[in-house]
C-alpha cells in the first residue's frame, strides 16, 4: 500500500483532526507498519468509516506482551489449565481459577485488569513478593481497605465511557441517542469529580494508617492512590481549561432559542388543526401527524371529508380509509422546522467535535488515573479472596532461584 497516498489522504480528508503531518507515534515504526496502516485506511475508506476511526487522533504504538515480567499463556494453555473457562466452555465455571475472583472486583475496569493478571501471571520473584506484601497490607489495614472500597463502589465503567466519548463514532451515537452532546460528557465528568472528592475526604486521609506496614509496600499503595487522585484532578482541570470553563457544558443560548422555536412551530400546527376541524361537521378521526415521514400532515378519514376538502389542500398520501393533506400554512411550518433541525444538527456537531477534542487532549491523564484505580481494585480483589480462604492458610515464599537438595520428611 502506498504510504504517500495515506499522507495525501490525511490532508485532503482531514484525518487526525486536520493535522498536516502524521501523528508522532508513526515516527516510531518502520515502513512496513506504516504500509499496514495505509492498507487499513484504504479498507476503512471502502467501508466509509475512515473519518470516524482516523479522525480521533488516538493512534498509539501497540504494546506487545513480549517482556519478561509476566508469563505469556496462549489460549490452549489457558483452556487446559481452566483459568477462565471450565472443560464445558463455561466462563467462571466451578473449578476455574476465575471462579475464585469473578465476584470480587468492585469495578468493571478493575475486573478486566484482574483477568489480565490471571492470564499473564508475574514471573519475577521481586514483583510477586511486592504484590503479596501489598495484599497483606490491605488485609491488615481495615480502615484504609474500607475507605478504598467506598471510593470504588458504584463506579460506572468509566474506562469504556471515556473510550466512547473520545471516539468520533461513539460520540455521534450518543448524540443521536440522547438528543444532546452535553449530557454524556457531564455525567462522565461528574463521576470523575465524585471519585476525586471521595478520595480527598477519606482515602487520602487514611494513608497515614499505613505507616505501620513495610515502607516499600506502603509507598507502593499510597503511590497508587495519590497517582489516581493527581491524574484525575489534573485531567479535569485541563479539560475545563480547554473548553473555556464549566459554562460551556451548559446548553448555549442558541439551543434555548431553537427549543422555543420548535415549541412555537408545534403550537401553530395545532392551531391549524383546530381550524381544519372547524371546516367539517364531524371531527372524529381528524388528527395531526407530527412525527416521521408524515410530519405536519393532517389525516382526514374518507367518511368525514365527503369531497369537502378545500382545493388549497395538497394531497400527500392516502390509504383505503383516509387521506393525508398539507395546507399552505403547514407547508411553511414544515420548511421552517426542517431548517431548524438542520441548524440544530450543525450546532450539536460543532459542540460534539469541541468536546471530543477537549477530552482527547487529556484522555491519557484520565486513562492513567483510571488505571491506578484499576490496580487498587485488583489488589483489593486479591485481598478479599485471600481473606475468604479457610484456615490454615499461608503466604508462599518466592525464591530467586531453585534450591537443590530439598527433601520432604512428611506429607
Amino acid at each position: 500500500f502506498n504510504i504517500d497516498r495515506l499522507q495525501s489522504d490525511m490532508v485532503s480528508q482531514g484525518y487526525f483532526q486536520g493535522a498536516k503531518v502524521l501523528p508522532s507515534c508513526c515516527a516510531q515504526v518502520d515502513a512496513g507498519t506504516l504500509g499496514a496502516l495505509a492498507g487499513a485506511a484504504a479498507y476503512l475508506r471502502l467501508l466509509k468509516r475512515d473519518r470516524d476511526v482516523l479522525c480521533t487522533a488516538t493512534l498509539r504504538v501497540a504494546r506487545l506482551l513480549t517482556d519478561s515480567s509476566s508469563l505469556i499463556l496462549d489460549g490452549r494453555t489457558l483452556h487446559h489449565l481452566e483459568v477462565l473457562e471450565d472443560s464445558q466452555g463455561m466462563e467462571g465455571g466451578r473449578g476455574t481459577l476465575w471462579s475464585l475472583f469473578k465476584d470480587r472486583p468492585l469495578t468493571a475496569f478493575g475486573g478486566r485488569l484482574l483477568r489480565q493478571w490471571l492470564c499473564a501471571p508475574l514471573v519475577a520473584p521481586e514483583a510477586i513478593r511486592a504484590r503479596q506484601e501489598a495484599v497483606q497490607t490491605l488485609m491488615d489495614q481495615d480502615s484504609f481497605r474500607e475507605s478504598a472500597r467506598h471510593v470504588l463502589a458504584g463506579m460506572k465503567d468509566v474506562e469504556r465511557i471515556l473510550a466512547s466519548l473520545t471516539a468520533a463514532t461513539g460520540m455521534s451515537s450518543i448524540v443521536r441517542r440522547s438528543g444532546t452532546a452535553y449530557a454524556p460528557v457531564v455525567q462522565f465528568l461528574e463521576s470523575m469529580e465524585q471519585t476525586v472528592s471521595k478520595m480527598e475526604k477519606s482515602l487520602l486521609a487514611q494513608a497515614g494508617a499505613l505507616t505501620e506496614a513495610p515502607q516499600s509496600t506502603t509507598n507502593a499503595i499510597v503511590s497508587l492512590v495519590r497517582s489516581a487522585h493527581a491524574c484525575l484532578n489534573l485531567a479535569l482541570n485541563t479539560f475545563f481549561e480547554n473548553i473555556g470553563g464549566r459554562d460551556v457544558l451548559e446548553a448555549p443560548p442558541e439551543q434555548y432559542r431553537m427549543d422555543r422555536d420548535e415549541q412555537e412551530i408545534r403550537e401553530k400546527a395545532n392551531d391549524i388543526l383546530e381550524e381544519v376541524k372547524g371546516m367539517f361537521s364531524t371531527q372524529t378521526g381528524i388528527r395531526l401527524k407530527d412525527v416521521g415521514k408524515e410530519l405536519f400532515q393532517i389525516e382526514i378519514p374518507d367518511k368525514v371529508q365527503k369531497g369537502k376538502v378545500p382545493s388549497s389542500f395538497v394531497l400527500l398520501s392516502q390509504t383505503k380509509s383516509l387521506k393525508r393533506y398539507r395546507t399552505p400554512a403547514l407547508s411553511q411550518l414544515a420548511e421552517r422546522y426542517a431548517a431548524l433541525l438542520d441548524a440544530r444538527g450543525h450546532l450539536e456537531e460543532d459542540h460534539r467535535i469541541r468536546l471530543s477534542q477537549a477530552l482527547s487532549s487529556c484522555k491519557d491523564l484520565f486513562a492513567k488515573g483510571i488505571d491506578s484505580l484499576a490496580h487498587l481494585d485488583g489488589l483489593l480483589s486479591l485481598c478479599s479472596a485471600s481473606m475468604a480462604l479457610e484456615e490454615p492458610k499461608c503466604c508462599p515464599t518466592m525464591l530467586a532461584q531453585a534450591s537443590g537438595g530439598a527433601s520432604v520428611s512428611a506429607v
Side-chain angles (χ1 to χ4, degrees), residues 347-384:
L347 178 65
E348 290 187 345
E349 178 68 9
D350 291 342
H351 277 270
R352 179 191 70 78
I353 294 175
R354 184 176 182 182
L355 294 176
S356 180
Q357 291 177 345
L359 275 177
S360 295
S361 66
C362 51
K363 179 182 179 180
D364 290 342
L365 282 172
F366 276 121
K368 186 176 180 180
I370 294 172
D371 184 65
S372 295
L373 292 178
H375 276 75
L376 181 61
D377 193 10
L379 293 174
L380 286 170
S381 300
L382 295 177
C383 172
S384 176

Side-chain angles (χ1 to χ4, degrees), residues 266 288-296:
R266 294 190 178 277
L288 177 69
K289 299 286 288 185
D290 61 351
V291 294
K293 296 181 179 179
E294 293 83 27
L295 184 66
F296 296 140

Side-chain angles (χ1 to χ4, degrees), residues 391-410:
E391 299 289 348
K393 53 188 175 183
C394 65
C395 180
T397 300
M398 304 306 301
L399 302 177
Q401 59 184 4
S403 57
S407 60
V408 178
S409 57

Side-chain angles (χ1 to χ4, degrees), residues 98-250:
W98 180 235
S99 66
L100 301 176
F101 301 95
K102 64 178 182 179
D103 297 325
R104 306 290 180 183
L106 298 169
T107 64
F109 51 89
R112 287 192 292 271
L113 179 63
L114 185 59
R115 283 170 59 98
Q116 293 178 20
W117 287 357
L118 297 181
C119 295
L122 297 173
V123 295
E126 297 80 7
I128 296 175
R129 280 196 294 269
R131 185 174 292 176
Q132 288 174 333
E133 292 171 358
V135 171
Q136 185 63 53
T137 299
L138 291 174
M139 293 174 63
D140 296 338
Q141 302 295 330
D142 296 342
S143 179
F144 180 86
R145 185 177 66 251
E146 292 308 314
S147 296
R149 293 180 62 85
H150 173 69
V151 169
L152 296 173
M155 280 192 69
K156 298 180 180 180
D157 193 354
V158 290
E159 185 179 50
R160 291 281 174 84
I161 296 175
L162 177 63
S164 177
L165 290 176
T166 53
T169 52
M171 180 68 84
S172 298
S173 64
I174 288 172
V175 171
R176 288 194 296 269
R177 184 170 63 251
S178 65
T180 173
Y182 318 113
V185 179
V186 172
Q187 293 169 3
F188 171 77
L189 295 175
E190 287 178 347
S191 177
M192 292 291 91
E193 288 180 320
Q194 290 173 2
T195 300
V196 170
S197 177
K198 286 181 179 179
M199 296 178 71
E200 291 174 346
K201 292 179 180 179
S202 60
L203 197 54
L204 290 178
Q206 294 291 339
L210 300 181
T211 54
E212 299 177 2
Q215 190 64 32
S216 59
T217 306
T218 304
N219 290 339
I221 296 178
V222 173
S223 177
L224 276 179
V225 174
R226 290 177 176 170
S227 173
H229 177 269
C231 290
L232 294 180
N233 199 37
L234 179 58
L236 287 169
N237 293 334
T238 303
F239 173 80
F240 288 120
E241 181 180 346
N242 289 342
I243 64 173
R246 294 174 177 268
D247 294 340
V248 179
L249 288 178
E250 302 296 332

